[in-house]
Amino acid sequence: MDEDAGPGTVRPGGRTARVRASVLQAAGDVLAERGFAQLDLADVARLAGVGKTTVYRRWGTVAGLVADLLAEMAEESVPRTETGSLLGDLRANADLVRRTLGDPRQGALFQAVIAAATYDERTAQALRRFYDARIAEWAPCVARAVDRGEAPAGTDPAEVIRAVSAPLYYGLLTAGKPPDEATAERAARAATAAARAGVFVR
Amino acid sequence: MDEDAGPGTVRPGGRTARVRASVLQAAGDVLAERGFAQLDLADVARLAGVGKTTVYRRWGTVAGLVADLLAEMAEESVPRTETGSLLGDLRANADLVRRTLGDPRQGALFQAVIAAATYDERTAQALRRFYDARIAEWAPCVARAVDRGEAPAGTDPAEVIRAVSAPLYYGLLTAGKPPDEATAERAARAATAAARAGVFVR
DNA sequence: CCATTATTGGAACTGGAGACCCGTTACTGT
DNA sequence: ACAGTAACGGGTCTCCAGTTCCAATAATGG
């Protein structure tokens, strides 16, 4: 009746931690250099200098590995800058997203995660958790802007943040190209204009 | 030195057309009922009442099959309604996208296509062609709005249309849920507000 | 330091996706 | 109507992703 959450949970130190680190490292390398389609667990194991059995036992599938990779990245919280204006803050957010999607490792990871999330529920959950965290971190910017009177009362902060990211991800997925500075700037300005107009009032 | 574009191109009529139709039908069924992860070529062949060899020969991979499925869908052009105002037209566009993504078959297909496009170049091209066509069809709405003075001169019509779709796709991919009426309405209003504010001026 | 046992990893095994062969079917131009 | 051949499809084979087994290794608590 007791659910043990698989290997690596009882003795997570020493070798186990090293194995996890080198497997995630190798998986990230493959993803950045060769892409999602080439991500093969046996291959990752070989590159990581780790037994194939271990990788299958702990991650099971490509989707599972990718989900763990995302969880790893979610750890590093990027410090949020506060500029004093809604446009300035959203611009900073758009630029963060742009840099994330433009980075070879992180950009490739996000494409992989989104692809995997369309068919794997665990990856989809990891993805949702990641966005919830990011949005929770940035929502206060919008709340402040509302307090300052830059947007109408009742504006939904989360929706505004999502509105900034949306066109950047959309471009990456449908055009296959990471966003440039101009696109990021446009996204920030569009979200600001819409928020000012009261579109995101609940 | 001559590139023949594979089987089905020299004698596309009769049986060949029937085979293609029933394979695409079966593939759509599997996609809608069981999802992308369960889309197996041998399985599709069996359901379509067609030889496994034929499916492998003509489509080769799951991504290739999905790309063809999208091309098939792109054929049916949806008549565009003209409402006389920018907001009205963008609302109509947002609603079209909402209904597309909400439809069991088409929604599942889009998730599959976007997933496949992240790693398969042919699928990515098919996707880009589809969006180029859709955007070309709707761009005139925005051009008219500019003529009417609803948006500043120099506004990029394609960017406005993309701005409508972006949040709807973003929600589907990151939250895993097709957009509802309220979300579509918000997308149309946000794009309108941003366009009016001159965000999409080139 | 030692006993316990969680975790690893080599090796052998298996199932099924996908390639191949070749006889059959039926589309197409004349 | 008919010849020529494009396209189909059943049967067979290959190869490798993923599983299983168990002995070796090392993390952890006392």
Side-chain angles (χ1 to χ4, degrees):
Chain A
M1 202 50 67
D2 61 320
E3 299 282 323
D4 79 297
T9 52
V10 179
R11 290 179 185 176
R15 181 164 71 162
T16 297
R18 271 192 312 275
V19 164
R20 187 175 116 99
S22 59
V23 167
L24 293 184
Q25 172 75 35
D29 290 348
V30 173
L31 217 46
E33 287 163 24
R34 272 175 276 172
F36 185 56
Q38 305 300 318
L39 193 59
D40 166 61
L41 295 203
D43 206 39
V44 168
R46 197 175 42 72
L47 289 172
V50 153
K52 181 174 77 154
T53 311
T54 302
V55 176
Y56 277 105
R57 189 167 31 221
R58 292 195 48 191
W59 288 278
T61 65
V62 169
L65 182 54
V66 160
D68 198 19
L69 213 45
L70 178 68
E72 177 83 350
M73 179 192 293
E75 301 292 308
E76 329 153 0
S77 72
V78 183
R80 172 167 56 84
T81 53
E82 192 93 30
T83 66
S85 79
L86 178 59
L87 179 58
D89 289 352
L90 294 188
R91 195 179 269 147
N93 182 38
D95 211 58
L96 170 62
V97 174
R98 179 187 65 78
R99 276 182 283 113
T100 302
L101 298 184
D103 178 76
R105 292 181 76 88
Q106 302 194 2
L109 173 59
F110 270 91
Q111 291 214 204
V113 166
I114 289 174
T118 63
Y119 62 85
D120 181 75
E121 186 47 38
R122 276 178 38 240
T123 309
Q125 282 179 9
L127 185 60
R128 258 173 264 142
R129 250 180 284 121
F130 176 83
Y131 283 116
D132 288 348
R134 272 285 169 101
I135 287 171
E137 193 185 338
W138 285 85
C141 284
V142 180
R144 296 262 185 96
V146 171
D147 292 343
R148 287 193 305 263
E150 286 197 74
T155 295
D156 182 350
E159 276 306 311
V160 178
I161 300 300
R162 272 192 272 265
V164 174
S165 294
L168 306 180
Y169 279 88
Y170 181 73
L172 177 66
L173 293 170
T174 63
K177 289 181 181 172
D180 56 18
E181 285 91 343
T183 308
E185 172 70 16
R186 232 183 292 126
R189 293 213 287 144
T192 305
R196 285 215 171 99
V199 172
F200 301 115
V201 173
R202 234 170 320 191
Chain B
M1 205 47 66
D2 60 320
E3 300 282 324
D4 79 297
T9 53
V10 179
R11 290 181 186 175
R15 180 164 71 163
T16 297
R18 272 192 311 277
V19 164
R20 187 174 116 100
S22 59
V23 167
L24 292 183
Q25 173 74 34
D29 290 349
V30 173
L31 217 47
E33 286 163 24
R34 272 174 275 173
F36 185 56
Q38 306 299 319
L39 192 60
D40 167 60
L41 295 203
D43 206 38
V44 168
R46 196 176 42 73
L47 289 172
V50 153
K52 183 175 73 155
T53 310
T54 301
V55 176
Y56 277 105
R57 189 168 29 221
R58 292 198 45 193
W59 289 277
T61 65
V62 169
L65 182 55
V66 161
D68 198 20
L69 213 44
L70 178 69
E72 176 82 352
M73 181 191 293
E75 300 293 306
E76 327 153 2
S77 72
V78 183
R80 173 166 57 84
T81 52
E82 192 94 28
T83 67
S85 78
L86 179 60
L87 178 57
D89 289 352
L90 294 187
R91 196 180 266 148
N93 181 40
D95 212 56
L96 170 62
V97 175
R98 179 188 65 78
R99 277 182 283 111
T100 302
L101 298 184
D103 178 77
R105 292 181 76 89
Q106 303 193 3
L109 173 58
F110 270 92
Q111 292 214 203
V113 166
I114 288 174
T118 63
Y119 62 84
D120 181 75
E121 185 47 37
R122 274 178 38 239
T123 310
Q125 281 178 8
L127 185 59
R128 259 173 263 141
R129 249 180 285 121
F130 177 82
Y131 282 116
D132 288 348
R134 273 284 169 103
I135 287 171
E137 193 184 338
W138 285 84
C141 284
V142 181
R144 296 262 185 97
V146 172
D147 292 343
R148 287 192 305 264
E150 286 198 74
T155 295
D156 182 350
E159 276 305 311
V160 178
I161 300 300
R162 272 191 273 265
V164 174
S165 294
L168 307 180
Y169 279 87
Y170 181 74
L172 177 66
L173 293 170
T174 63
K177 287 181 181 170
D180 56 17
E181 285 91 344
T183 307
E185 172 69 17
R186 233 184 289 127
R189 294 214 287 143
T192 305
R196 285 213 171 101
V199 172
F200 302 116
V201 173
R202 230 168 322 191

